[in-house]
Amino acid sequence: MSRTEWITATPPTPNGDLHIGHMAGPYLAGDVLRRFRVADGADVRYTTGLDDHQSYVPVRGLKDGGLKGEEIADRYGESIESVWRQAGAEFDAIVRPRRDPEYTAHVQDFFQRLYDQGHIVARTRPLPYCTGCERWLYEAYLKGDCPHCGSGSNGNACEPCGRPNDCADLTDPECTACGAPAELRDCERLYFPLAPFGEQLDAFWQRVDMPPHLRALCERMRAEGLPEIAVSHPSEWGVPVTVPGFTDQRVYVWFEMAPGYLMEWQKCATGEPAPAPVQFFGFDNGYFHALLFPAAFLADASGPDSPQGPAGAPLPSAFVVNEFYRLEGLKFSTSRRHAIWAHEELARTPADVLRHHVLSDRPNGRQTSFTPADLERSRARLAEHWDGWLRRLFTAVAEDCAGTAPAEEPQGPAWERLHARLTRTVDELREAYSAAGFDARRAVALLDETVSLAVDFGHVHSHERDRPEGAAPHRRALAAQLAVASALAAWAAPVLPHGADRLAGLLGVPAGRRIDAAALRGPAAGTPLAVPAEGVFSG
C-alpha cells in the first residue's frame, strides 16, 4: 500500500466571507502542491476545516444585530466552501466541527488525556472582565495593545508579531462589544505549560522546513522562556471542558485545533511510517503550528493511553508560510470588513485569472498589496500574451495545415535550443512546485517565461512561410509550438487548472499529465485542431 501524503491548510474562521487575502494565502497554494503531487502519481490527501468555535463568530453575531453564533457560522461556512469550489481549491476533507458527530468527543478525550497525565494544570490568574456586558473577555471579546510589540491586539495572540498573550497583560484592555475599559479579576483556568517540551521542540525545529521569519519567532520565544498557555476560557461558545470544576468553560479554540488535525492524521495513517504533513498557513498563525500544536502532540504521544501508536506524533515535515496580503496599505481583515470579497471578485473575474494574479503576487517572505489595476494587468497578460499566442497558433494550423496537427516533427538548431531551455525551465518549475522549494511566485514566472519563449519562437519562424520552399519548415515550426502548448497544458495545471484542461481538450492530449520534459510533445499527426472560440486561460 502506498503511503498517503498529507497537505493541510489552516481552517478559516466563518465570521465573514473569504477575501482575496485568504486566496493569496494558504488555500490556493496548498491546492497547487496537491495538483502537482497528484500529477506525479502520488496518493495525496488535502484537508482543511472551518474554525466554527472561534470567538470571532459570536462577536460577529453581536455586531450583526444580535444573531446567534450558529447562524453566523452556518451562513459564512457555506459561503466559504462555495468560494473554494469556484476557485478550484479541491479538498479531500473539510472538517466542520459542529456537524461532525465525532468531533466534540474527540477533542474532549484529547483534552482530558493531557489533563489526566498532568500536562494541563489549573492556574488562578487575572483575566479582563466587562461589568457592563457581564462577560469575561478573551480573544475577540478583548482588545488592547500587545505586551510584546505594542501593536493593537485582541486577546490570546497578536497578529502583527505572532506572539501569544495572557489577555490580562494587554495594555489598556477594553471590551470590543461596548468599548468600556476592562477590569481585571482573578479567574481559575486550565493552562498548558510549553517549557517541558523545550528540548523536543528544539529538535523538531532543526528538522522541519520553515522560513526564517517563523524560525526567528520560535527561537526568540524559546530564549525568553516558553510560556504557559491558557487552554480554557469561561464561555458558552465552543467545546465544553469535561474536567471537574471547569465544566462551565470551553476549550481554547486554537488548542482544540490540535486534536482536530489529529483526527485527519489518523485517516491518513494507512501505512508506515505515518505521514508527516506539509502545512500551509499565514505567519499570524505561526506560533500555533510551530509551538502549540507540536507540544500538544508530543504531550499526547508521551502518555500510555495515546491513540497515536508507535508511529508517534504527526509532526509536520514542512511549513509553507505566507505573510500578510494588504489592500490599500492595510491588512485584509474579515472582522474589520476591510476586504475585497472573493465571491464578488469571482463573479466578475474568471477563476484562473484570479489564481494567476494572487499566486504571482503571493506574499512569500514579505508583505504584498492587492490593487484592482494589478489584477487587470494579469487578466490582460493571459488574454493578450497567453491566449493571443494560442489563437495565432491554432489559426495558422487551420490555414496552413488544413486544421490538423502537421505530420512534420520539430527539428533544427532553433528547436534544439528551445527544447533545451524548456527542459531546464521545467526542472526549475518542478522545484518551485515541490514542498521543499515551494514558491508559487516563481512557478507563475516560469510559466510566463515558457509562453514568452513560445511567442518569440512563433514570431521569428512565422517568416518561414514567406520562403519559396518554406512550407515544410513552417509546419515544423508550428509543430514545435504545438509541443510547447502541449507541455503548457500539463505544466500550468497546478496554477491554472481550468485553462490547462481546456487546452488539453483542444489539443487532444490527456489532462493531468506529469510535469516534466516528456510533456513537450505535440498532438499526433492528423489530430483535428479547432481555433478556440474564446480565451483558453482568460475566459
Side-chain angles (χ1 to χ4, degrees), residues 254-453:
W254 280 102
F255 196 75
E256 169 196 326
M257 199 179 294
Y261 274 128
L262 187 58
M263 284 180 63
E264 290 305 312
W265 173 79
Q266 290 167 341
K267 295 175 184 177
C268 296
T270 56
E272 294 295 342
V278 176
Q279 296 191 312
F280 286 76
F281 53 85
F283 177 77
D284 54 323
N285 297 158
Y287 135 75
F288 303 112
H289 288 80
L291 282 87
L292 185 61
F293 299 163
F297 294 142
L298 290 166
D300 188 43
S302 69
D305 299 324
S306 171
Q308 296 184 37
L315 298 183
S317 62
F319 295 135
V320 183
V321 183
N322 61 275
E323 302 287 339
F324 289 140
Y325 198 38
R326 293 186 172 271
L327 171 63
E328 298 175 356
L330 298 174
K331 175 184 171 291
F332 276 90
S333 173
T334 301
S335 59
R336 294 190 297 274
R337 292 301 193 257
H338 179 71
I340 292 178
W341 305 114
H343 71 279
E344 294 178 353
E345 192 58 60
L346 285 166
R348 55 183 175 256
T349 300
D352 275 1
V353 173
L354 186 61
R355 287 174 69 108
H356 179 279
H357 180 69
V358 300
L359 291 168
S360 69
D361 199 30
R362 178 174 158 80
N364 176 30
R366 73 288 212 187
Q367 298 182 10
T368 55
S369 187
F370 175 88
T371 70
D374 287 340
L375 175 61
E376 187 54 39
R377 278 189 283 272
S378 291
R379 186 200 303 266
R381 181 165 188 81
L382 288 173
E384 298 167 12
H385 200 60
W386 291 47
D387 288 343
W389 162 60
L390 290 171
R391 186 169 52 254
R392 290 191 300 274
L393 172 60
F394 280 90
T395 299
V397 169
E399 294 175 351
D400 301 324
C401 304
T404 63
E408 289 80 1
E409 293 283 340
Q411 60 178 299
W415 166 245
E416 291 171 3
R417 288 192 297 271
L418 177 61
H419 189 279
R421 186 166 181 179
L422 289 174
T423 299
R424 294 192 297 271
T425 296
V426 76
D427 287 342
E428 292 187 44
L429 184 61
R430 286 188 60 81
E431 181 181 52
Y433 278 150
S434 71
F438 188 86
D439 187 345
R441 295 171 65 97
R442 179 63 178 147
V444 175
L446 288 165
L447 294 172
D448 281 334
E449 182 180 349
T450 297
V451 174
S452 293
L453 290 172

Side-chain angles (χ1 to χ4, degrees), residues 17-299:
D17 297 301
L18 285 186
H19 52 64
I20 301 298
H22 289 124
M23 307 312 287
Y27 307 111
L28 293 183
D31 182 69
V32 167
L33 177 59
R34 182 195 68 82
R35 290 176 183 274
F36 170 65
R37 293 300 297 137
V38 168
D40 266 2
D43 178 15
V44 181
R45 186 172 176 83
Y46 181 34
T47 69
T48 187
L50 290 171
D51 207 4
D52 286 357
H53 295 146
Q54 282 277 6
S55 57
Y56 292 89
V57 173
V59 167
R60 171 50 55 191
L62 291 174
K63 294 180 178 179
D64 284 357
L67 296 177
K68 294 181 179 179
E70 292 86 349
E71 296 174 282
I72 295 295
D74 288 343
R75 173 195 300 175
Y76 291 117
E78 295 302 322
S79 172
I80 288 169
E81 290 197 47
S82 174
V83 164
W84 282 334
R85 289 191 296 270
Q86 293 175 61
E90 296 185 353
F91 293 98
D92 297 288
I94 300 173
V95 177
R96 298 291 298 265
R98 293 171 39 256
R99 296 185 181 181
D100 188 327
E102 301 176 356
Y103 184 89
T104 294
H106 183 83
V107 172
Q108 290 174 329
D109 289 346
F110 179 89
F111 193 95
Q112 189 70 49
R113 277 199 309 274
L114 266 59
Y115 177 80
D116 292 341
Q117 295 163 14
H119 297 300
I120 292 177
V121 295
R123 297 280 191 262
T124 299
R125 290 178 180 164
L127 182 66
Y129 186 85
C130 179
T131 56
C133 297
E134 298 183 330
R135 179 185 293 119
W136 292 100
L137 305 180
Y138 69 99
E139 283 190 308
Y141 292 107
L142 175 67
K143 61 182 178 181
D145 292 332
C146 174
H148 305 291
C149 72
S151 299
S153 175
N154 290 117
N156 295 92
C158 173
E159 285 190 345
C161 74
R163 296 281 295 268
N165 62 68
D166 199 37
C167 298
D169 52 358
L170 289 180
T171 303
D172 299 324
E174 63 182 53
C175 175
T176 56
C178 69
E183 67 175 54
L184 299 183
R185 296 184 180 182
D186 283 344
C187 179
E188 188 178 27
R189 290 176 289 164
L190 295 170
Y191 278 76
F192 178 55
L194 296 177
F197 305 98
E199 292 185 4
Q200 290 171 283
L201 288 171
D202 281 339
F204 165 61
W205 297 333
Q206 290 304 309
R207 64 179 184 269
V208 68
D209 185 2
M210 65 174 164
H213 193 187
L214 180 56
R215 192 174 296 279
L217 171 64
C218 294
E219 293 176 352
R220 186 167 64 251
M221 287 184 61
R222 173 82 162 110
E224 295 176 6
L226 294 176
E228 296 186 343
I229 303 299
V231 292
S232 74
H233 296 297
S235 176
E236 298 179 350
W237 182 254
V239 175
V241 174
T242 57
V243 174
F246 296 90
T247 54
D248 62 338
Q249 298 191 16
R250 298 295 182 268
V251 177
Y252 175 38
V253 68
W254 280 102
F255 196 75
E256 169 196 326
M257 199 179 294
Y261 274 128
L262 187 58
M263 284 180 63
E264 290 305 312
W265 173 79
Q266 290 167 341
K267 295 175 184 177
C268 296
T270 56
E272 294 295 342
V278 176
Q279 296 191 312
F280 286 76
F281 53 85
F283 177 77
D284 54 323
N285 297 158
Y287 135 75
F288 303 112
H289 288 80
L291 282 87
L292 185 61
F293 299 163
F297 294 142
L298 290 166

